[in-house]
Amino acid sequence: MEIQLWREILDPYSLAVDELVTKFNHIIDEYKHVGAYSPIEQVTGRVKTISSILEKSQKKSIELENFEENIDDIAGIRIICQFVEDIYKVVDIVKKRSDMRIKNEKDYINNMKKSGYRSYHLIVYYDVETLKGKKELQVEIQIRTLAMNFWATIEHSLQYKYKQNMPEHIRERLSSAAEAILILDREMSVVRDEIMDAQNSFTIKANIVADILTNIQNLYKVAKKQEVVSIQDEFFRIYQNGDQDELAQFSRDLDMISARYRAQSLR
Ligand code: 0O2
């Protein structure tokens, strides 16, 4: 197949990957903006390379004319979560969306692969708009924890290096590393609530401080310098005290002061 034709075929897959990465990143932002914990930690995406498509077609005896129907991971999205529980939340989020239709799912978390591989896979149908009109594509979404991703990345590199001939002692090491990852994920789940509380309160505090600083910066334009300086001193005092409730109250008071100045400027 000519390189130009490959480009034409793969272009919509690039669009799908770009759109989906943006959409999943937006979900992270939505959680952040309401000060809530996001089950999605990180999102990446890729379009399978031509050589990788050729290799898979050969391995699975797929005719090149039919590769789009038969290779379901030409567009791939990888979603990384902190905790195993988050993976199932993300699966629910995807299932409830109207822009992705589930074709099939594989739970390699409850059914770990012989290699030790763990991950949740969804194949979804996703529509993109091209110059030729709407095109329905298949996209593979892999959802896994940070720990599972660490293992899979290392194992993938070793698979690539050794192809079918991975030495037995390395296979054994990978298998015991997979066990260690399983235990690590379980241990992290036990302290999940505490970790989430700590992360939530960090995010909430950061948002309050950002609001206060924006307000102070705007007040410099409209209020007397002396008044802003004393507001700023009060902020430093409360911040150093470290009492989050007091900081939140200060932020609300500052909102009212700012609103008063805005009202005055409209008169
Ligand atoms: P690449 O290079 O990552 O794209 P099936 O026909 O369903 O039996 P298929 O189509 O390979 O097999 O589906 P499966 O098993 O769900 O695997 C899809 C992808 O999951 C793989 O894509 C890998 O990315 C990942 N994966 C599956 N098993 C393993 C494993 O044992 N180790 C690692 N590191 N990754 C795995 P590709 O196309 O094989 O590879």
Side-chain angles (χ1 to χ4, degrees):
M1 195 165 12
E2 281 171 33
I3 192 78
Q4 185 55 31
L5 196 53
W6 275 109
R7 283 221 180 92
E8 251 175 62
I9 294 172
L10 295 182
D11 254 359
Y13 290 89
S14 299
L15 176 60
V17 167
D18 289 348
E19 285 185 10
L20 286 168
V21 168
T22 302
K23 286 180 178 184
F24 284 113
N25 271 321
H26 199 81
I27 293 177
I28 302 179
D29 289 343
E30 275 191 69
Y31 276 101
K32 269 196 197 144
H33 293 157
V34 294
Y37 169 85
S38 167
I40 302 176
E41 175 66 15
Q42 194 188 313
V43 189
T44 54
R46 64 99 184 96
V47 175
K48 222 174 176 61
T49 59
I50 298 173
S51 74
S52 188
I53 293 173
L54 291 173
E55 206 177 301
K56 197 158 186 170
S57 303
Q58 203 173 16
K59 201 167 103 193
K60 297 197 162 189
S61 310
I62 294 167
E63 301 284 341
L64 263 190
E65 302 90 76
N66 307 324
F67 84 89
E68 281 190 273
E69 292 99 87
N70 294 316
I71 300 183
D72 50 22
D73 66 342
I74 299 171
I77 298 292
R78 187 165 294 155
I79 296 181
I80 307 295
C81 307
Q82 297 197 69
F83 303 102
V84 177
E85 292 80 355
D86 299 338
I87 294 175
Y88 293 96
K89 279 204 180 138
V90 176
V91 172
D92 276 348
I93 290 174
V94 173
K95 284 183 176 173
K96 282 187 186 131
R97 290 185 70 102
S98 58
D99 54 352
M100 298 171 216
R101 298 170 297 286
I102 309 286
K103 179 190 176 193
N104 70 41
E105 55 192 307
K106 292 181 192 163
D107 183 351
Y108 293 132
I109 293 164
N110 284 316
N111 310 295
M112 182 167 80
K113 277 195 153 184
K114 222 170 84 210
S115 60
Y117 178 77
R118 285 161 68 234
S119 208
Y120 202 105
H121 291 189
L122 290 170
I123 305 294
V124 300
Y125 292 113
Y126 181 76
D127 294 338
V128 287
E129 291 292 336
T130 71
L131 285 178
K132 290 182 187 155
K134 184 160 85 177
K135 182 167 170 139
E136 183 185 68
L137 305 176
Q138 305 190 63
V139 178
E140 183 190 63
I141 305 179
Q142 297 183 343
I143 314 165
R144 47 172 86 147
T145 63
L146 287 157
M148 291 171 196
N149 192 46
F150 175 57
W151 184 93
T153 308
I154 304 282
E155 197 261 2
H156 193 270
S157 314
L158 290 170
Q159 255 188 49
Y160 186 78
K161 176 174 174 187
Y162 291 112
K163 304 280 178 219
Q164 303 306 319
N165 308 308
M166 194 180 304
E168 198 44 39
H169 71 281
I170 293 186
R171 204 180 292 280
E172 278 166 17
R173 290 268 175 207
L174 280 171
S175 178
S176 58
E179 280 300 315
I181 294 290
L182 193 70
I183 294 167
L184 175 65
D185 271 333
R186 275 196 198 130
E187 287 297 314
M188 295 312 268
S189 286
V190 174
V191 290
R192 177 173 181 262
D193 286 347
E194 259 181 66
I195 296 173
M196 274 172 56
D197 271 357
Q199 289 175 344
N200 267 345
S201 100
F202 176 81
T203 313
I204 291 168
K205 188 172 177 188
N207 286 343
I208 295 173
V209 170
D211 283 349
I212 291 173
L213 293 178
T214 309
N215 265 332
I216 291 177
Q217 201 177 341
N218 290 335
L219 280 175
Y220 264 110
K221 293 176 205 151
V222 288
K224 288 206 181 77
K225 191 169 173 233
Q226 196 48 44
E227 187 187 359
V228 189
V229 170
S230 70
I231 287 173
Q232 199 170 289
D233 290 346
E234 179 67 356
F235 163 60
F236 286 140
R237 186 192 66 73
I238 294 171
Y239 185 82
Q240 272 160 1
N241 261 355
D243 182 337
Q244 194 152 310
D245 289 339
E246 200 184 354
L247 198 64
Q249 183 56 49
F250 179 77
S251 178
R252 285 192 290 273
D253 292 346
L254 203 54
D255 279 343
M256 275 158 63
I257 296 173
S258 301
R260 210 173 57 227
Y261 273 105
R262 266 200 304 278
Q264 271 174 13
S265 71
L266 291 175
R267 269 188 216 146

